[in-house]
Each structure stands twice: as C-alpha cells, then as structure tokens.
Amino acid sequence: MNTVDSTHSRLVLRPGDAGYEDELAGFQTGFTQRPAVVFAAAGADDVVAAVRHAAAAGLPVGVQATGHGLPGDSQGGVLVTTRRMAGVTVDARARTARVEAGVRWADVIAAAGPSGLAPLNGSAPGVGAVSYTLGGGLGILAREFGYAADHVGSLDVVTGDGRLRRVTRASDPGLYWALLGGGHRLGIVTALETELVPVTRLYGGSLSFDGSEVDPASALRAYEHWTRTVPDGLTSSFAAVPYPDVPGVPPRLRGRYAVSVRVAHPGPAAEGEQLVAPLREIGPALTDSLREMPYSESHTIHGDPDFPHTYYGDNAVLRELDVDAVAALLALTGPRAPVMCVVQINHLGGALARPAPNSVPHRAGRFLVRLLAMADRTRARALLDPAFALLEPWTTGRMRNFAFGAGDRPDGLYDPGTRERLAGLKSVYDPANLFGGA
C-alpha cells in the first residue's frame, strides 16, 4: 500500500500501490521504468528525503522530469517525480522568474506576460522549464538571446550527499557550470531563477509547401541560402513531416508530405515580413501562418503535438549544412520510410555562439539536425543510424536536450575537455554515482 509520512505529508509509492502506475505516466509512452520506490515530491524536503533514502539503501535515483522528459536511471531504484512542485514567482522589476522543478513553460509565459516579459522557452508549452534549461534550452528566440542556460542566476539542487544547496556562479562556480548543460547527473534541481526578456509580441509562424509539388531538396537549398542573409535576431528552422491521413491532423496537411520553414522574429512586423519575402518564392504555399502575434501565441509557430505518444529521437550538430547530404537524408526519412520520421533543422549561430559560464557544448555549430521516429528504440535506430551516417563528415557532436531516448549514448554529447571536467565534478558531488553517468 502507498505510504504517507504524517510529519511531512510525503507520498511514497511502490509497485502494486494505488497511484503507482499513474505517477509513472509521462509524455513519452514508449519509455517506462519500474522503480522500487517513487517519491512524489511536493517540495525540496521530499527530494532530500528521496536522495538520502537512495544513498542509505545503495540504490540509483532518477528524476521524472515534468513535461516531455524521460525518467532518470531509476530502474529498480528510487524515482523522484516533481509535477507537484509547481510554483512560479515573477519579479518584474528584476526581470526574473523563480520556477520550481514541476513547472511547465506555459505557466511561466502566463505569469510573466502581465509584466510585459517573456521567458526563453522552447516551441512546446508543455515542456518542463527546469529540465529544458539544464540541457541547454534551445528556444524560439535563441539566435537573439542565446541558450536558456545562459540566463540562469541561481539553482537549488540536492546533491549526492543529500544536501540542499543554493548554487550561483559566485558561490559554486564549478557546480553552477556543470549543472547548466550537464543536466541532472550531478543532483536534482528543485528550483532555479532565470532572467526574463522584454518581449510582448513577435512576428512569426510557419510557411509550408506540399512536398509533391515543391521539391524538398530545392526548398532546403533555398532555406540554407536564406539563412546566410538574415540577422541574428531572426530564429528559424526547416522541417519535413509526412503527415498521416488520420483524424486530428489539419485537413490541409492530412496525408501530405509537408516541408516547412518556421520563423520567430521579435522585431517589427514590417521588418519580419520583409525578411521572409524570399521564402515565399520557394513555391505555392500549402499553409501560411506568418503574422504578428502576442508572445502568448508563440506555441502556434511549431504546433507541436500535446498528447502522449511513443517516439525516439536523436540529433547532430553540424559545422556546415551540406545540402546534398541532407537531401539524401530527406529521401531516406520521407514518406516511404518504414516508420514515420520528422526532420527538423535548426539554424544556430547568433547569440548561441557566444561563450557563457556553463557546460552547454558545440557553440560553433551552424545547424542542428533533429530526427524523431514514431517507433520503439530498435525500429527507430534502424532508420536513424544510416541517416546520421550521411552527416558524419560535418558532425561536431550532439545536444542532450534532443536525444529523446538516446541519452544513454554518451558519445558526442560533450567535447573531451568538457566531459573530463564534468567527470571530475561528479566525483566531488556524486561520488557514489547515485544519479548515473555524466
């Protein structure tokens, strides 16, 4: 039966308990675990108790990140869920927000908006703000402002010794550096304070083309050329999606192979319209949602699905975008692929290339290629491995945030120097390796 600690109202669940299965449910339905015990944390004290319990029992401990996150390495061990830690506090004068571990970006956008501010969130409002930021945080305004991790003032984290620490760049420069980019492998972050930006409106949306009418490779070539002309303040991505012919898909896209360019520009709408004008020359638009919008509608730019499903994904950071190689990748992953595969190519550079006091790697990359297969690990890798092999000559590494289920493959996540420094700090803050490999 489930246990509630009467002193701290701490909910602890074990296999067979009522609520155990519901507590494990997440956005990625293809990756589940069976921890021996689940601590349903309502606050930092519960996280401390979970880590101390794991240390005393010699068990691994993971965290079920809110939103799209996968559980940590907790098979047969201890799992901490954070969905109940949902506090958001905005300091409008300081332009900061304090967010707890269970907060989703939609909550921060709603809290910051009345003050004329916005967070550096990603494309999907249901993503957990803390886990996103710990992995770097490549957002919809990334080329203007950089990674979300570059804007963090402090973090509250429970380390392997069961101690709750307030970490800043001044107080703990090594741990601060490691957590922002190194993710949760050095502890469990219970809250962080992040800067907000004075953005209330933007020009953005998606311009899509029918892949049967507009050659995807030609559209990609036009996009790559266009990215060489735009200012740092414009963030964009190219996507190729073979939409299934099923209810729930917008009628204009149902059963079509759509290639799209997504755009976000925090400048004037007239300037944004002028900047995207060359994209309209690619061909007749299948859909066109480019417009000025309040920041609260920024999630409509990508229109990410908001329902749980099975998927597996990986990525490659590229020093250059070889159009011929990526065109071959599009042919491999398109409508004739054995499983549905979504391709997204993010234009990097701008503020993303600036150095920062954190461990977010691969800042010299010009593009990020992301592949998302709607399949289990085995079937997905059978498609993704040969696809990424096409990009190998231009690949400099991988981003942890977009290794959806592939985060257990450490190769390429960090350059050798960063990896060595992370390992050294892990030996200090998690010598028993409670949180798994760095």
Side-chain angles (χ1 to χ4, degrees), residues 87-125:
V88 182
T89 304
V90 171
D91 185 333
R93 179 171 296 181
R95 292 184 177 176
T96 61
R98 183 180 187 276
V99 297
E100 293 185 343
V103 172
R104 300 169 191 254
W105 276 125
D107 304 318
V108 188
I109 294 170
S115 299
L117 301 168
L120 296 177
N121 56 281
S123 61

PDB file of all heavy atoms in Angstrom, residues 87-125:
ATOM      1  N   GLY A  87       5.460  25.925  -8.333  1.00  0.00           N
ATOM      2  CA  GLY A  87       5.467  27.346  -8.003  1.00  0.00           C
ATOM      3  C   GLY A  87       6.228  28.188  -9.012  1.00  0.00           C
ATOM      4  O   GLY A  87       7.316  27.821  -9.455  1.00  0.00           O
ATOM      5  N   VAL A  88       5.637  29.339  -9.383  1.00  0.00           N
ATOM      6  CA  VAL A  88       6.284  30.329 -10.252  1.00  0.00           C
ATOM      7  C   VAL A  88       6.164  31.687  -9.586  1.00  0.00           C
ATOM      8  O   VAL A  88       5.063  32.105  -9.225  1.00  0.00           O
ATOM      9  CB  VAL A  88       5.625  30.410 -11.642  1.00  0.00           C
ATOM     10  CG1 VAL A  88       6.358  31.426 -12.520  1.00  0.00           C
ATOM     11  CG2 VAL A  88       5.594  29.057 -12.307  1.00  0.00           C
ATOM     12  N   THR A  89       7.292  32.395  -9.426  1.00  0.00           N
ATOM     13  CA  THR A  89       7.279  33.728  -8.851  1.00  0.00           C
ATOM     14  C   THR A  89       8.020  34.669  -9.786  1.00  0.00           C
ATOM     15  O   THR A  89       9.190  34.437 -10.100  1.00  0.00           O
ATOM     16  CB  THR A  89       7.958  33.759  -7.469  1.00  0.00           C
ATOM     17  OG1 THR A  89       7.325  32.800  -6.610  1.00  0.00           O
ATOM     18  CG2 THR A  89       7.858  35.139  -6.853  1.00  0.00           C
ATOM     19  N   VAL A  90       7.350  35.712 -10.256  1.00  0.00           N
ATOM     20  CA  VAL A  90       7.950  36.675 -11.167  1.00  0.00           C
ATOM     21  C   VAL A  90       8.302  37.947 -10.421  1.00  0.00           C
ATOM     22  O   VAL A  90       7.479  38.498  -9.682  1.00  0.00           O
ATOM     23  CB  VAL A  90       6.992  36.996 -12.335  1.00  0.00           C
ATOM     24  CG1 VAL A  90       7.506  38.164 -13.165  1.00  0.00           C
ATOM     25  CG2 VAL A  90       6.802  35.767 -13.209  1.00  0.00           C
ATOM     26  N   ASP A  91       9.546  38.409 -10.573  1.00  0.00           N
ATOM     27  CA  ASP A  91       9.981  39.702 -10.059  1.00  0.00           C
ATOM     28  C   ASP A  91      10.096  40.634 -11.260  1.00  0.00           C
ATOM     29  O   ASP A  91      11.084  40.603 -11.994  1.00  0.00           O
ATOM     30  CB  ASP A  91      11.329  39.557  -9.355  1.00  0.00           C
ATOM     31  CG  ASP A  91      11.790  40.858  -8.688  1.00  0.00           C
ATOM     32  OD1 ASP A  91      11.398  41.941  -9.161  1.00  0.00           O
ATOM     33  OD2 ASP A  91      12.562  40.787  -7.713  1.00  0.00           O
ATOM     34  N   ALA A  92       9.056  41.424 -11.501  1.00  0.00           N
ATOM     35  CA  ALA A  92       9.004  42.253 -12.698  1.00  0.00           C
ATOM     36  C   ALA A  92      10.117  43.288 -12.711  1.00  0.00           C
ATOM     37  O   ALA A  92      10.679  43.586 -13.780  1.00  0.00           O
ATOM     38  CB  ALA A  92       7.641  42.938 -12.800  1.00  0.00           C
ATOM     39  N   ARG A  93      10.451  43.843 -11.557  1.00  0.00           N
ATOM     40  CA  ARG A  93      11.493  44.867 -11.515  1.00  0.00           C
ATOM     41  C   ARG A  93      12.857  44.284 -11.873  1.00  0.00           C
ATOM     42  O   ARG A  93      13.625  44.887 -12.620  1.00  0.00           O
ATOM     43  CB  ARG A  93      11.546  45.506 -10.128  1.00  0.00           C
ATOM     44  CG  ARG A  93      12.624  46.570  -9.980  1.00  0.00           C
ATOM     45  CD  ARG A  93      12.503  47.323  -8.678  1.00  0.00           C
ATOM     46  NE  ARG A  93      11.248  48.080  -8.616  1.00  0.00           N
ATOM     47  CZ  ARG A  93      10.900  48.855  -7.589  1.00  0.00           C
ATOM     48  NH1 ARG A  93      11.698  48.949  -6.532  1.00  0.00           N
ATOM     49  NH2 ARG A  93       9.758  49.508  -7.615  1.00  0.00           N
ATOM     50  N   ALA A  94      13.144  43.106 -11.346  1.00  0.00           N
ATOM     51  CA  ALA A  94      14.426  42.458 -11.635  1.00  0.00           C
ATOM     52  C   ALA A  94      14.415  41.705 -12.962  1.00  0.00           C
ATOM     53  O   ALA A  94      15.460  41.233 -13.419  1.00  0.00           O
ATOM     54  CB  ALA A  94      14.785  41.499 -10.507  1.00  0.00           C
ATOM     55  N   ARG A  95      13.223  41.548 -13.562  1.00  0.00           N
ATOM     56  CA  ARG A  95      13.053  40.770 -14.795  1.00  0.00           C
ATOM     57  C   ARG A  95      13.552  39.337 -14.619  1.00  0.00           C
ATOM     58  O   ARG A  95      14.321  38.816 -15.421  1.00  0.00           O
ATOM     59  CB  ARG A  95      13.777  41.433 -15.966  1.00  0.00           C
ATOM     60  CG  ARG A  95      13.184  42.747 -16.423  1.00  0.00           C
ATOM     61  CD  ARG A  95      13.905  43.288 -17.640  1.00  0.00           C
ATOM     62  NE  ARG A  95      13.306  44.525 -18.125  1.00  0.00           N
ATOM     63  CZ  ARG A  95      13.795  45.253 -19.133  1.00  0.00           C
ATOM     64  NH1 ARG A  95      14.878  44.842 -19.757  1.00  0.00           N
ATOM     65  NH2 ARG A  95      13.186  46.370 -19.501  1.00  0.00           N
ATOM     66  N   THR A  96      13.083  38.712 -13.554  1.00  0.00           N
ATOM     67  CA  THR A  96      13.453  37.327 -13.283  1.00  0.00           C
ATOM     68  C   THR A  96      12.214  36.526 -12.897  1.00  0.00           C
ATOM     69  O   THR A  96      11.183  37.087 -12.511  1.00  0.00           O
ATOM     70  CB  THR A  96      14.477  37.217 -12.146  1.00  0.00           C
ATOM     71  OG1 THR A  96      13.903  37.754 -10.938  1.00  0.00           O
ATOM     72  CG2 THR A  96      15.765  37.952 -12.479  1.00  0.00           C
ATOM     73  N   ALA A  97      12.347  35.216 -12.995  1.00  0.00           N
ATOM     74  CA  ALA A  97      11.303  34.301 -12.532  1.00  0.00           C
ATOM     75  C   ALA A  97      11.966  33.178 -11.763  1.00  0.00           C
ATOM     76  O   ALA A  97      13.006  32.642 -12.195  1.00  0.00           O
ATOM     77  CB  ALA A  97      10.507  33.738 -13.688  1.00  0.00           C
ATOM     78  N   ARG A  98      11.387  32.810 -10.633  1.00  0.00           N
ATOM     79  CA  ARG A  98      11.824  31.628  -9.902  1.00  0.00           C
ATOM     80  C   ARG A  98      10.828  30.525 -10.211  1.00  0.00           C
ATOM     81  O   ARG A  98       9.627  30.674  -9.983  1.00  0.00           O
ATOM     82  CB  ARG A  98      11.887  31.878  -8.404  1.00  0.00           C
ATOM     83  CG  ARG A  98      12.425  30.679  -7.620  1.00  0.00           C
ATOM     84  CD  ARG A  98      12.475  30.948  -6.121  1.00  0.00           C
ATOM     85  NE  ARG A  98      13.140  29.867  -5.408  1.00  0.00           N
ATOM     86  CZ  ARG A  98      12.555  28.745  -5.011  1.00  0.00           C
ATOM     87  NH1 ARG A  98      11.253  28.555  -5.258  1.00  0.00           N
ATOM     88  NH2 ARG A  98      13.233  27.804  -4.391  1.00  0.00           N
ATOM     89  N   VAL A  99      11.314  29.423 -10.755  1.00  0.00           N
ATOM     90  CA  VAL A  99      10.438  28.334 -11.163  1.00  0.00           C
ATOM     91  C   VAL A  99      10.852  27.052 -10.453  1.00  0.00           C
ATOM     92  O   VAL A  99      12.038  26.732 -10.362  1.00  0.00           O
ATOM     93  CB  VAL A  99      10.460  28.133 -12.698  1.00  0.00           C
ATOM     94  CG1 VAL A  99       9.938  29.368 -13.391  1.00  0.00           C
ATOM     95  CG2 VAL A  99      11.846  27.807 -13.212  1.00  0.00           C
ATOM     96  N   GLU A 100       9.864  26.326  -9.940  1.00  0.00           N
ATOM     97  CA  GLU A 100      10.137  25.057  -9.288  1.00  0.00           C
ATOM     98  C   GLU A 100      10.216  23.935 -10.319  1.00  0.00           C
ATOM     99  O   GLU A 100       9.847  24.104 -11.486  1.00  0.00           O
ATOM    100  CB  GLU A 100       9.062  24.766  -8.246  1.00  0.00           C
ATOM    101  CG  GLU A 100       9.087  25.731  -7.079  1.00  0.00           C
ATOM    102  CD  GLU A 100       8.095  25.368  -5.983  1.00  0.00           C
ATOM    103  OE1 GLU A 100       7.162  24.561  -6.244  1.00  0.00           O
ATOM    104  OE2 GLU A 100       8.232  25.886  -4.861  1.00  0.00           O
ATOM    105  N   ALA A 101      10.670  22.772  -9.876  1.00  0.00           N
ATOM    106  CA  ALA A 101      11.036  21.688 -10.782  1.00  0.00           C
ATOM    107  C   ALA A 101       9.874  21.141 -11.600  1.00  0.00           C
ATOM    108  O   ALA A 101      10.089  20.542 -12.655  1.00  0.00           O
ATOM    109  CB  ALA A 101      11.679  20.552  -9.994  1.00  0.00           C
ATOM    110  N   GLY A 102       8.634  21.326 -11.154  1.00  0.00           N
ATOM    111  CA  GLY A 102       7.494  20.777 -11.882  1.00  0.00           C
ATOM    112  C   GLY A 102       6.812  21.752 -12.812  1.00  0.00           C
ATOM    113  O   GLY A 102       5.785  21.416 -13.417  1.00  0.00           O
ATOM    114  N   VAL A 103       7.363  22.941 -12.976  1.00  0.00           N
ATOM    115  CA  VAL A 103       6.714  23.990 -13.764  1.00  0.00           C
ATOM    116  C   VAL A 103       6.921  23.741 -15.256  1.00  0.00           C
ATOM    117  O   VAL A 103       8.014  23.396 -15.706  1.00  0.00           O
ATOM    118  CB  VAL A 103       7.282  25.365 -13.372  1.00  0.00           C
ATOM    119  CG1 VAL A 103       6.782  26.452 -14.305  1.00  0.00           C
ATOM    120  CG2 VAL A 103       6.914  25.690 -11.928  1.00  0.00           C
ATOM    121  N   ARG A 104       5.859  23.948 -16.021  1.00  0.00           N
ATOM    122  CA  ARG A 104       5.942  23.885 -17.479  1.00  0.00           C
ATOM    123  C   ARG A 104       6.026  25.301 -18.039  1.00  0.00           C
ATOM    124  O   ARG A 104       5.582  26.260 -17.417  1.00  0.00           O
ATOM    125  CB  ARG A 104       4.717  23.149 -18.047  1.00  0.00           C
ATOM    126  CG  ARG A 104       4.590  21.720 -17.532  1.00  0.00           C
ATOM    127  CD  ARG A 104       3.243  21.123 -17.904  1.00  0.00           C
ATOM    128  NE  ARG A 104       3.017  19.864 -17.199  1.00  0.00           N
ATOM    129  CZ  ARG A 104       3.085  18.662 -17.761  1.00  0.00           C
ATOM    130  NH1 ARG A 104       3.366  18.564 -19.050  1.00  0.00           N
ATOM    131  NH2 ARG A 104       2.879  17.574 -17.060  1.00  0.00           N
ATOM    132  N   TRP A 105       6.552  25.401 -19.262  1.00  0.00           N
ATOM    133  CA  TRP A 105       6.770  26.737 -19.820  1.00  0.00           C
ATOM    134  C   TRP A 105       5.476  27.531 -19.972  1.00  0.00           C
ATOM    135  O   TRP A 105       5.473  28.759 -19.840  1.00  0.00           O
ATOM    136  CB  TRP A 105       7.476  26.627 -21.169  1.00  0.00           C
ATOM    137  CG  TRP A 105       8.960  26.499 -21.059  1.00  0.00           C
ATOM    138  CD1 TRP A 105       9.734  25.519 -21.598  1.00  0.00           C
ATOM    139  CD2 TRP A 105       9.862  27.367 -20.361  1.00  0.00           C
ATOM    140  NE1 TRP A 105      11.054  25.723 -21.277  1.00  0.00           N
ATOM    141  CE2 TRP A 105      11.162  26.853 -20.522  1.00  0.00           C
ATOM    142  CE3 TRP A 105       9.690  28.528 -19.607  1.00  0.00           C
ATOM    143  CZ2 TRP A 105      12.284  27.464 -19.963  1.00  0.00           C
ATOM    144  CZ3 TRP A 105      10.811  29.140 -19.042  1.00  0.00           C
ATOM    145  CH2 TRP A 105      12.084  28.610 -19.228  1.00  0.00           C
ATOM    146  N   ALA A 106       4.374  26.870 -20.236  1.00  0.00           N
ATOM    147  CA  ALA A 106       3.109  27.598 -20.363  1.00  0.00           C
ATOM    148  C   ALA A 106       2.811  28.393 -19.098  1.00  0.00           C
ATOM    149  O   ALA A 106       2.271  29.509 -19.171  1.00  0.00           O
ATOM    150  CB  ALA A 106       1.977  26.622 -20.666  1.00  0.00           C
ATOM    151  N   ASP A 107       3.175  27.830 -17.935  1.00  0.00           N
ATOM    152  CA  ASP A 107       2.917  28.512 -16.666  1.00  0.00           C
ATOM    153  C   ASP A 107       3.784  29.759 -16.528  1.00  0.00           C
ATOM    154  O   ASP A 107       3.351  30.781 -15.994  1.00  0.00           O
ATOM    155  CB  ASP A 107       3.184  27.564 -15.498  1.00  0.00           C
ATOM    156  CG  ASP A 107       2.383  26.284 -15.590  1.00  0.00           C
ATOM    157  OD1 ASP A 107       1.192  26.358 -15.941  1.00  0.00           O
ATOM    158  OD2 ASP A 107       2.949  25.201 -15.317  1.00  0.00           O
ATOM    159  N   VAL A 108       5.035  29.685 -17.001  1.00  0.00           N
ATOM    160  CA  VAL A 108       5.936  30.833 -16.894  1.00  0.00           C
ATOM    161  C   VAL A 108       5.519  31.925 -17.871  1.00  0.00           C
ATOM    162  O   VAL A 108       5.547  33.116 -17.533  1.00  0.00           O
ATOM    163  CB  VAL A 108       7.396  30.398 -17.155  1.00  0.00           C
ATOM    164  CG1 VAL A 108       8.352  31.549 -16.840  1.00  0.00           C
ATOM    165  CG2 VAL A 108       7.770  29.179 -16.325  1.00  0.00           C
ATOM    166  N   ILE A 109       5.121  31.536 -19.081  1.00  0.00           N
ATOM    167  CA  ILE A 109       4.640  32.521 -20.056  1.00  0.00           C
ATOM    168  C   ILE A 109       3.442  33.277 -19.499  1.00  0.00           C
ATOM    169  O   ILE A 109       3.356  34.510 -19.596  1.00  0.00           O
ATOM    170  CB  ILE A 109       4.283  31.818 -21.377  1.00  0.00           C
ATOM    171  CG1 ILE A 109       5.536  31.239 -22.038  1.00  0.00           C
ATOM    172  CG2 ILE A 109       3.584  32.779 -22.336  1.00  0.00           C
ATOM    173  CD1 ILE A 109       5.248  30.329 -23.209  1.00  0.00           C
ATOM    174  N   ALA A 110       2.510  32.547 -18.885  1.00  0.00           N
ATOM    175  CA  ALA A 110       1.309  33.175 -18.329  1.00  0.00           C
ATOM    176  C   ALA A 110       1.640  34.094 -17.161  1.00  0.00           C
ATOM    177  O   ALA A 110       1.035  35.162 -17.004  1.00  0.00           O
ATOM    178  CB  ALA A 110       0.325  32.097 -17.889  1.00  0.00           C
ATOM    179  N   ALA A 111       2.613  33.704 -16.331  1.00  0.00           N
ATOM    180  CA  ALA A 111       2.972  34.510 -15.161  1.00  0.00           C
ATOM    181  C   ALA A 111       3.762  35.753 -15.542  1.00  0.00           C
ATOM    182  O   ALA A 111       3.639  36.806 -14.908  1.00  0.00           O
ATOM    183  CB  ALA A 111       3.778  33.660 -14.175  1.00  0.00           C
ATOM    184  N   ALA A 112       4.583  35.662 -16.592  1.00  0.00           N
ATOM    185  CA  ALA A 112       5.448  36.778 -16.975  1.00  0.00           C
ATOM    186  C   ALA A 112       4.746  37.788 -17.878  1.00  0.00           C
ATOM    187  O   ALA A 112       5.085  38.981 -17.859  1.00  0.00           O
ATOM    188  CB  ALA A 112       6.697  36.247 -17.674  1.00  0.00           C
ATOM    189  N   GLY A 113       3.768  37.337 -18.647  1.00  0.00           N
ATOM    190  CA  GLY A 113       3.119  38.188 -19.635  1.00  0.00           C
ATOM    191  C   GLY A 113       2.538  39.485 -19.115  1.00  0.00           C
ATOM    192  O   GLY A 113       2.746  40.543 -19.723  1.00  0.00           O
ATOM    193  N   PRO A 114       1.806  39.474 -17.986  1.00  0.00           N
ATOM    194  CA  PRO A 114       1.223  40.725 -17.495  1.00  0.00           C
ATOM    195  C   PRO A 114       2.243  41.807 -17.173  1.00  0.00           C
ATOM    196  O   PRO A 114       1.898  42.985 -17.119  1.00  0.00           O
ATOM    197  CB  PRO A 114       0.477  40.270 -16.225  1.00  0.00           C
ATOM    198  CG  PRO A 114       0.145  38.839 -16.481  1.00  0.00           C
ATOM    199  CD  PRO A 114       1.317  38.307 -17.231  1.00  0.00           C
ATOM    200  N   SER A 115       3.511  41.426 -16.975  1.00  0.00           N
ATOM    201  CA  SER A 115       4.573  42.396 -16.694  1.00  0.00           C
ATOM    202  C   SER A 115       5.318  42.799 -17.959  1.00  0.00           C
ATOM    203  O   SER A 115       6.343  43.483 -17.887  1.00  0.00           O
ATOM    204  CB  SER A 115       5.565  41.813 -15.677  1.00  0.00           C
ATOM    205  OG  SER A 115       4.923  41.514 -14.459  1.00  0.00           O
ATOM    206  N   GLY A 116       4.832  42.370 -19.125  1.00  0.00           N
ATOM    207  CA  GLY A 116       5.499  42.705 -20.372  1.00  0.00           C
ATOM    208  C   GLY A 116       6.785  41.938 -20.588  1.00  0.00           C
ATOM    209  O   GLY A 116       7.682  42.408 -21.297  1.00  0.00           O
ATOM    210  N   LEU A 117       6.861  40.738 -20.017  1.00  0.00           N
ATOM    211  CA  LEU A 117       8.078  39.944 -20.084  1.00  0.00           C
ATOM    212  C   LEU A 117       7.774  38.553 -20.636  1.00  0.00           C
ATOM    213  O   LEU A 117       6.632  38.113 -20.657  1.00  0.00           O
ATOM    214  CB  LEU A 117       8.709  39.819 -18.691  1.00  0.00           C
ATOM    215  CG  LEU A 117       9.090  41.142 -18.008  1.00  0.00           C
ATOM    216  CD1 LEU A 117       9.433  40.902 -16.538  1.00  0.00           C
ATOM    217  CD2 LEU A 117      10.257  41.799 -18.732  1.00  0.00           C
ATOM    218  N   ALA A 118       8.836  37.869 -21.042  1.00  0.00           N
ATOM    219  CA  ALA A 118       8.695  36.516 -21.573  1.00  0.00           C
ATOM    220  C   ALA A 118       9.914  35.695 -21.180  1.00  0.00           C
ATOM    221  O   ALA A 118      11.012  36.219 -21.061  1.00  0.00           O
ATOM    222  CB  ALA A 118       8.558  36.543 -23.091  1.00  0.00           C
ATOM    223  N   PRO A 119       9.730  34.386 -20.982  1.00  0.00           N
ATOM    224  CA  PRO A 119      10.868  33.508 -20.739  1.00  0.00           C
ATOM    225  C   PRO A 119      11.480  33.053 -22.059  1.00  0.00           C
ATOM    226  O   PRO A 119      10.892  33.240 -23.129  1.00  0.00           O
ATOM    227  CB  PRO A 119      10.226  32.325 -20.010  1.00  0.00           C
ATOM    228  CG  PRO A 119       8.860  32.234 -20.622  1.00  0.00           C
ATOM    229  CD  PRO A 119       8.438  33.654 -20.926  1.00  0.00           C
ATOM    230  N   LEU A 120      12.642  32.415 -21.976  1.00  0.00           N
ATOM    231  CA  LEU A 120      13.296  31.883 -23.167  1.00  0.00           C
ATOM    232  C   LEU A 120      12.916  30.418 -23.331  1.00  0.00           C
ATOM    233  O   LEU A 120      13.736  29.508 -23.215  1.00  0.00           O
ATOM    234  CB  LEU A 120      14.813  32.077 -23.055  1.00  0.00           C
ATOM    235  CG  LEU A 120      15.238  33.540 -23.029  1.00  0.00           C
ATOM    236  CD1 LEU A 120      16.740  33.660 -22.842  1.00  0.00           C
ATOM    237  CD2 LEU A 120      14.789  34.266 -24.300  1.00  0.00           C
ATOM    238  N   ASN A 121      11.639  30.206 -23.609  1.00  0.00           N
ATOM    239  CA  ASN A 121      11.077  28.862 -23.711  1.00  0.00           C
ATOM    240  C   ASN A 121      11.286  28.278 -25.091  1.00  0.00           C
ATOM    241  O   ASN A 121      11.653  28.971 -26.044  1.00  0.00           O
ATOM    242  CB  ASN A 121       9.584  28.906 -23.402  1.00  0.00           C
ATOM    243  CG  ASN A 121       8.850  29.891 -24.296  1.00  0.00           C
ATOM    244  OD1 ASN A 121       8.887  31.098 -24.058  1.00  0.00           O
ATOM    245  ND2 ASN A 121       8.186  29.404 -25.332  1.00  0.00           N
ATOM    246  N   GLY A 122      10.997  26.978 -25.204  1.00  0.00           N
ATOM    247  CA  GLY A 122      11.068  26.299 -26.478  1.00  0.00           C
ATOM    248  C   GLY A 122       9.757  26.356 -27.221  1.00  0.00           C
ATOM    249  O   GLY A 122       8.868  27.155 -26.905  1.00  0.00           O
ATOM    250  N   SER A 123       9.609  25.469 -28.200  1.00  0.00           N
ATOM    251  CA  SER A 123       8.452  25.521 -29.085  1.00  0.00           C
ATOM    252  C   SER A 123       7.189  24.948 -28.477  1.00  0.00           C
ATOM    253  O   SER A 123       6.085  25.297 -28.886  1.00  0.00           O
ATOM    254  CB  SER A 123       8.772  24.765 -30.374  1.00  0.00           C
ATOM    255  OG  SER A 123       9.067  23.405 -30.103  1.00  0.00           O
ATOM    256  N   ALA A 124       7.318  24.042 -27.492  1.00  0.00           N
ATOM    257  CA  ALA A 124       6.155  23.363 -26.917  1.00  0.00           C
ATOM    258  C   ALA A 124       5.897  23.871 -25.500  1.00  0.00           C
ATOM    259  O   ALA A 124       6.769  23.754 -24.630  1.00  0.00           O
ATOM    260  CB  ALA A 124       6.379  21.852 -26.902  1.00  0.00           C
ATOM    261  N   PRO A 125       4.723  24.415 -25.223  1.00  0.00           N
ATOM    262  CA  PRO A 125       4.446  24.972 -23.891  1.00  0.00           C
ATOM    263  C   PRO A 125       4.368  23.928 -22.796  1.00  0.00           C
ATOM    264  O   PRO A 125       4.460  24.259 -21.615  1.00  0.00           O
ATOM    265  CB  PRO A 125       3.105  25.681 -24.071  1.00  0.00           C
ATOM    266  CG  PRO A 125       2.460  24.992 -25.234  1.00  0.00           C
ATOM    267  CD  PRO A 125       3.584  24.603 -26.145  1.00  0.00           C
TER     268      PRO A 125
END
